[in-house]
Amino acid sequence: MDDRPTWLVECRDIASRPCVVTVLVDGDRVVIVGPPGETAVFSSSEVETLRNALRAAASAATRHDTALAAGRQR
């Protein structure tokens, strides 16, 4: 099972169809997976959700990077 922190952010494509952008943490990196071949369009509340997801993911990635650095210093 994949235990990486993951956030799903609802949005719409350019044709106003519902879709999802995925934000996940891969070690010390933040990955954003958009709808394949689409453009994601966010409302102001969806942008707020994306911002919160990115902030949380960046924090998780920083903790991972810090833990790795501490392990290398031992």
Side-chain angles (χ1 to χ4, degrees):
M1 179 171 180
D2 190 351
D3 62 348
R4 294 183 290 189
T6 303
W7 297 263
L8 303 177
V9 182
E10 295 179 1
C11 56
R12 300 232 168 230
D13 67 11
I14 200 71
S16 201
R17 295 176 299 227
C19 55
V20 174
V21 169
T22 304
V23 178
L24 61 94
V25 177
D26 184 23
D28 62 345
R29 297 179 180 179
V30 175
V31 179
I32 300 174
V33 182
E38 298 289 345
T39 299
V41 180
F42 299 92
S43 70
S44 58
S45 64
E46 291 164 343
V47 167
E48 185 70 18
T49 302
L50 178 62
R51 184 179 70 87
N52 292 338
L54 289 172
R55 181 181 295 128
S59 179
T62 299
R63 285 192 305 271
H64 182 272
D65 192 41
T66 301
L68 286 178
R72 286 191 297 261
Q73 294 174 359
R74 290 181 184 174

